[in-house]
């Protein structure tokens, strides 16, 4: 696909007004307080002994509503001092997959915690966590699940899981709590921004082609899924569009970005119809941290920088966490 959004010079200056409910902060403070009150003990079990250079643990931690959420905790074997830890969130429809798929960061000397996304899982990244909540009428997929109110919306549960995952790894004696990084691409990038806005004291945020940002703009300029799920949902709700956008404002990555201060490395792809460049720049330009940079891939679609961006992230982390 050719470039279709604003020219790069305009993207770099793009700072749209944020749509945000007046009780945004109270909503999230109450949500996290409720989740903490229902928390159950974390369970850690050794796994994958064939990965002899690594220590792999199958973790079950307490997420939204006290629900059990799965994750992989992987670190280099034989290391005794607390390590930096990357908390990694998954792209849309994917689960945590298999442990051997997440060995890059441990190979660089870091621990990694891969959070399963409740109710999701694909052929290449199978999931292991249920989402035990029903919802009102929706279209196929997760984007409109529970969208009738902020309290019931699917991403309220996912973002709460994400923030609690940071708390969990900080409690591990193998992790340096001052060097925890949130990371993800696409949906995982949107979740990472939510965690960056909800969790204090993070060492960094790695945000690739983030989804869940600047909803109204996305629905105006792209027909690509998963944003198309919201457009289909709105087709049958004539006259109720503003109610839907108000609910979505509690989950817009731009609003979390405006509260996030950790050093950040973003990436954007200018031919990306899934997460249009202007929606990425809306989050990047509103990002409150002063130490931030964005890698631009002018001719790529939603695959973004791929392994080139992974290398850039490793360099960024080596400089930052040394």
């Amino acid at each position: 696909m050719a470039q279709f959004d604003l020219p790069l010079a305009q993207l770099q200056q793009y700072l749209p007004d944020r749509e945000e409910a007046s009780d945004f902060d109270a909503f999230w403070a109450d949500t996290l307080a409720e989740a903490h009150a229902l928390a159950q003990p974390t369970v850690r079990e050794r796994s994958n002994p064939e990965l002899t250079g690594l220590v792999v643990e199958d973790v079950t931690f307490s997420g939204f509503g006290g629900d059990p959420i799965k994750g992989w905790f992987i670190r280099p074997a034989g290391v005794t001092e607390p390590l930096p830890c990357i908390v990694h969130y998954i792209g849309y429809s994917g689960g945590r997959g298999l442990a051997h798929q997440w060995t890059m960061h441990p190979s660089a000397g870091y621990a990694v915690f891969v959070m399963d996304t409740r109710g999701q899982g694909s052929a290449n990244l199978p999931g292991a966590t249920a989402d035990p909540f029903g919802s009102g009428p929706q279209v196929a997929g997760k984007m409109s699940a529970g969208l009738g109110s902020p309290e019931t919306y699917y991403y309220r549960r996912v973002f709460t899981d994400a923030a609690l995952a940071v708390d969990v790894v900080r409690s591990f004696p193998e992790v340096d709590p001052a060097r925890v990084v949130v990371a993800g691409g696409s949906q995982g990038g949107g979740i990472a921004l939510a965690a960056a806005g909800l969790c204090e004291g993070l060492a960094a945020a790695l945000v690739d082609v983030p989804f869940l940002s600047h909803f109204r703009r996305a629905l105006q300029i792209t027909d690509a899924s998963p944003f198309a799920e919201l457009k289909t949902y709105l087709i049958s709700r004539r006259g109720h569009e503003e109610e839907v956008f108000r609910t979505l404002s509690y989950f817009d990555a731009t609003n979390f970005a405006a509260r996030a201060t950790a050093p950040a490395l973003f990436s954007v792809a200018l031919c990306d119809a899934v997460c249009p460049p202007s929606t990425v720049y809306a989050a990047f330009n509103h990002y409150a941290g002063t130490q931030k940079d964005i890698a631009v891939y002018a001719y790529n679609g939603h695959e973004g920088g791929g392994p080139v961006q992974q290398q850039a992230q490793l360099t960024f982390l080596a400089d930052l966490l040394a």
Side-chain angles (χ1 to χ4, degrees), residues 66-106:
D67 298 335
I69 309 298
K70 301 294 286 185
W72 295 119
F73 181 49
I74 309 170
R75 60 192 187 276
V79 179
T80 57
E81 70 272 12
L83 292 168
C85 183
I86 289 80
V87 181
H88 191 94
Y89 308 109
I90 311 299
Y92 195 67
S93 81
R96 67 172 181 169
L98 304 178
H100 69 264
Q101 294 176 283
W102 304 105
T103 58
M104 183 185 76
H105 287 116

Side-chain angles (χ1 to χ4, degrees), residues 45 192 308:
E45 299 177 330
V308 172

Side-chain angles (χ1 to χ4, degrees), residues 176-196:
D176 179 351
R179 293 188 291 168
V180 173
V181 176
V182 293
S186 192
Q187 174 188 252
I191 298 171
L193 282 171

Side-chain angles (χ1 to χ4, degrees), residues 61 63-64 69 87 89 115 156-167 182 191-192 194-195 198-199:
F61 73 97
F64 176 90
I69 309 298
V87 181
Y89 308 109
M115 188 191 86
R156 183 188 183 210
R157 303 190 288 279
V158 174
F159 289 177
T160 302
D161 297 343
L164 295 182
V166 172
D167 293 341
V182 293
I191 298 171
L198 293 171
C199 301

Side-chain angles (χ1 to χ4, degrees), residues 100-110 112 307 310-311 313-314:
H100 69 264
Q101 294 176 283
W102 304 105
T103 58
M104 183 185 76
H105 287 116
S107 296
Y110 309 121
V112 66
Q310 288 179 319
Q311 180 60 62
Q313 290 175 346
L314 290 173

